[in-house]
């Protein structure tokens, strides 16, 4: 069986933690055994999520240190380090720690701030954290010879589509009509990854030209070749493999109800808010706009079960393995269902899941909101073999199970980890 160690940044968060379950589930990859090293600054997450991951994946003996800064199990399948990806020194220590054991085969990059509304209020923080974390990570991956990365991007890079009723394709225009700083950071990172990938091809071509024009007669063919030096040279010539995943609206939770989305403060997304209304934490749902050109006047979005999204990251990693069609290339994939549901559809479906009507009030439209936003996920199916398997009922039933079992999120009575202070690092000082 192939063994691979994956670095997962932001792995304590909602999407990251569910992706960990997909990585550690042997049924997802019968020929590959993944082990994961999670780095997270805990600014909007809890290491308690990793306790739940270990429980679901039957990883025996996983424990978090008393200070909440480290975690591991005896088999080292799941390791945690509380590190901010903007902190070059601390993140480099993580790379050094695992270098003697073969380093990392790939990275899955979730770390970053993600609240659309908040990004408009503190744009410098979003640019600093999201771009800084990515640049630091890429620099260290290059230094330590890890050249495969899955990047957690977003459908927000498409901005306001020219045809709001058409499903969005990877070839559609991006970057021009983005309405918030969060989306712009995702777009900028996509551009950085594209430039970075292209630079390696240019450097390789330049080196080949220099070798072709050089004097090869000076090469001593009788001298034995150092295998470690040869491997190092091969690593230097290895192209980057990059998968950019643009996903739409992740919802739901693990079907066990042990894991789910645990937003700090008022939820920024629709379904966590609806779920909190359902358990009585909030009085009603605000439906922003009822005069859109849709069947019930409310906006339509493409909602995707978070476990399907986690499976998409595993599919992307396997797609970039040695000998696979995505190896050495940069590819962009939409992850969505291709099916749209209105806001009132979602409120009604959640009501069906919890067995009671969800109260809501119509509110004015929000600036920048569009009528319809749906993915065309054809490319992901054709090239990676990935498609969403779970439906709207699964999304709502699993979300309701999580919310009822954990009305206060990971900070409830079942939590085994005390609240940990975030490990924040500023590029410009405190």
């Amino acid at each position: 069986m192939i063994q691979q160690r994956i670095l997962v940044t932001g792995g304590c968060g909602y999407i990251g933690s569910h992706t960990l379950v997909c990585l550690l589930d042997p049924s997802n990859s019968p020929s590959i055994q993944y082990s994961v090293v999670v780095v997270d600054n805990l600014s909007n997450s809890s290491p308690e999520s990793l306790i739940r991951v270990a429980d679901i994946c039957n990883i025996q003996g996983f424990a978090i240190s008393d200070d909440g800064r480290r975690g591991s199990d005896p088999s080292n399948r799941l390791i945690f380090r509380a590190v901010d990806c903007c902190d070059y020194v601390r993140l480099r220590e993580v790379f050094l720690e695992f270098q003697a054991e073969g380093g990392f085969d790939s990275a899955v990059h979730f770390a970053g701030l993600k609240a659309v509304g908040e990004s408009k209020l503190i744009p410098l923080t979003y640019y600093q954290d999201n771009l800084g974390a990515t640049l630091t990570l890429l620099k260290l991956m290059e230094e330590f010879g890890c050249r495969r990365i899955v990047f957690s991007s977003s459908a927000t890079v498409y901005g306001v589509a020219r045809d709001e009723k058409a499903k969005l394709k990877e070839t559609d225009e991006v970057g021009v009509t983005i309405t918030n700083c969060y989306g712009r950071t995702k777009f900028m990172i996509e551009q950085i990854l594209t430039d970075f990938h292209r630079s390696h091809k240019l450097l390789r071509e330049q080196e080949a030209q220099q070798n072709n024009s050089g004097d090869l007669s000076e090469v001593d063919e009788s001298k034995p070749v150092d295998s470690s030096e040869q491997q190092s040279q091969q690593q230097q010539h290895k192209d980057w493999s990059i998968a950019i995943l643009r996903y739409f609206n992740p919802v739901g939770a693990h079907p066990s109800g042990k894991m789910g989305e645990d937003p700090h403060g008022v939820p920024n997304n629709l379904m966590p808010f609806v779920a909190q209304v359902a358990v009585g934490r909030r009085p009603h749902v605000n439906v922003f706009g009822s005069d859109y050109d849709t069947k019930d006047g409310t906006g339509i979005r493409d909602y995707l079960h978070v476990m399907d999204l986690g499976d998409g990251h595993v599919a992307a990693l396997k797609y970039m393995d040695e000998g696979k069609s995505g190896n050495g290339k940069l590819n962009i994939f939409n992850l969505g269902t291709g099916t749209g549901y209105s806001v009132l559809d979602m409120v009604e479906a959640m009501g069906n899941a919890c067995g009671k009507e969800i109260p809501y009030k119509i509110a004015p439209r929000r600036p920048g909101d569009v009528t319809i936003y749906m993915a065309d996920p054809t490319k992901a199916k054709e090239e990676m073999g990935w498609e969403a398997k779970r439906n709207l009922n699964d999304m709502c039933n699993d979300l309701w199970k999580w919310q009822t079992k954990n009305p206060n999120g990971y900070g409830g009575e079942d939590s085994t980890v005390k609240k940990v202070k975030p490990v924040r690092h500023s590029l410009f000082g405190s």
Side-chain angles (χ1 to χ4, degrees), residues 348-358 400:
E348 181 182 358
M350 193 63 193
N352 293 335
C354 68
K356 58 184 177 183
E357 192 170 309
I358 307 292
W400 179 239

Side-chain angles (χ1 to χ4, degrees), residues 199-349:
S199 72
H200 275 266
K201 181 181 178 181
L202 294 173
L203 287 169
R204 192 177 66 252
E205 291 174 351
Q206 185 181 70
E207 188 176 274
Q209 290 175 355
Q210 291 173 346
N211 290 338
N212 290 336
S213 62
D215 184 0
L216 300 182
S217 62
E218 297 181 3
V219 177
D220 186 356
E221 295 182 356
S222 65
K223 184 179 179 181
V225 178
D226 186 309
S227 60
S228 61
E229 182 180 342
Q230 191 176 48
Q231 286 181 349
S232 176
Q233 290 175 349
Q234 289 173 348
Q235 188 66 30
Q236 288 175 2
H237 288 84
K238 183 180 177 183
D239 280 328
W240 272 77
S241 301
I242 299 174
I244 295 171
L245 305 183
R246 294 173 179 165
Y247 32 88
F248 283 64
N249 294 271
V251 297
H254 190 271
S256 67
K258 295 177 180 179
M259 291 173 55
E261 187 168 9
D262 183 22
H264 292 184
V266 179
N268 294 296
N269 299 320
L270 173 66
M271 292 311 287
F273 199 103
V274 173
Q276 290 187 7
V277 171
V279 293
R281 286 180 61 181
R282 303 189 185 279
H284 62 269
V285 177
N286 285 316
V287 177
F288 297 103
S290 60
D291 57 349
Y292 289 97
D293 184 17
T294 61
K295 62 177 183 178
D296 58 22
T298 64
I300 291 176
R301 299 290 182 270
D302 188 332
Y303 294 92
L304 170 70
H305 197 294
V306 68
M307 294 303 295
D308 280 326
L309 185 52
D311 288 339
H313 290 79
V314 178
L317 286 172
K318 292 193 285 189
Y319 178 72
M320 295 189 296
D321 277 339
E322 296 289 346
K324 298 296 180 67
S325 55
N327 185 258
K329 299 177 182 177
L330 181 145
N331 280 284
I332 299 172
F333 297 100
N334 284 337
L335 295 190
T337 63
T339 300
Y341 296 100
S342 73
V343 175
L344 293 184
D345 285 336
M346 300 304 291
V347 172
E348 181 182 358

Side-chain angles (χ1 to χ4, degrees), residues 7-223:
L7 176 67
V8 181
T9 73
C12 293
Y14 173 48
I15 300 171
S17 59
H18 286 77
T19 299
L20 295 180
V21 172
C22 297
L23 284 167
L24 295 169
D25 181 355
S27 66
N28 271 349
S29 305
S31 62
I32 304 174
Q33 184 181 65
Y34 292 111
S35 60
V36 295
V37 176
V38 175
V39 293
D40 198 303
N41 70 2
L42 305 176
S43 63
N44 192 35
S45 59
S46 168
E48 175 66 26
S49 65
L50 302 183
I51 298 290
R52 311 290 179 93
V53 169
D55 181 28
I56 290 168
C57 298
N58 197 30
I59 295 177
Q60 303 294 323
F62 178 80
I64 300 290
S65 61
D66 290 341
D67 63 1
R69 299 292 189 243
R70 300 169 69 88
S72 64
D73 68 285
S75 65
N76 288 330
R77 292 288 311 286
L78 177 59
I79 295 173
F80 168 62
R81 299 291 181 261
V83 173
D84 191 319
C85 285
C86 289
D87 189 336
Y88 175 83
V89 173
R90 291 287 311 283
L91 189 58
R92 191 172 190 275
E93 289 173 358
V94 175
F95 276 83
L96 284 170
E97 179 182 356
F98 294 95
Q99 185 180 28
E101 301 173 31
F104 300 113
D105 294 280
S106 306
V108 182
H109 184 34
F110 295 105
L113 301 175
K114 64 172 189 172
V116 169
E118 181 186 61
S119 75
K120 297 177 181 180
L121 302 175
I122 51 172
L124 292 184
T125 301
Y126 269 70
Y127 290 124
Q128 170 188 290
D129 283 24
N130 293 4
L131 298 181
T134 303
L135 292 171
T136 303
L137 176 64
L138 290 175
K139 184 176 178 63
L140 288 169
M141 289 178 68
E142 175 68 5
E143 178 184 348
F144 287 86
C146 175
R147 292 186 174 175
R148 279 198 299 239
I149 185 171
V150 178
F151 172 57
S152 163
S153 191
S154 166
T156 56
V157 298
Y158 291 112
V160 179
R162 292 181 179 179
D163 182 357
E164 287 192 357
K165 294 190 176 182
K167 293 182 180 180
L168 293 162
K169 297 182 178 181
E170 292 87 350
T171 53
D172 287 344
E173 183 180 69
V174 294
V176 178
T177 57
I178 299 173
T179 60
N180 56 80
C181 296
Y182 162 72
R184 275 187 280 276
T185 65
K186 292 294 187 182
F187 170 69
M188 289 178 180
I189 293 169
E190 287 194 9
Q191 295 302 111
I192 290 169
L193 290 169
T194 301
D195 290 340
F196 194 45
H197 186 269
R198 187 181 296 121
S199 72
H200 275 266
K201 181 181 178 181
L202 294 173
L203 287 169
R204 192 177 66 252
E205 291 174 351
Q206 185 181 70
E207 188 176 274
Q209 290 175 355
Q210 291 173 346
N211 290 338
N212 290 336
S213 62
D215 184 0
L216 300 182
S217 62
E218 297 181 3
V219 177
D220 186 356
E221 295 182 356
S222 65
K223 184 179 179 181

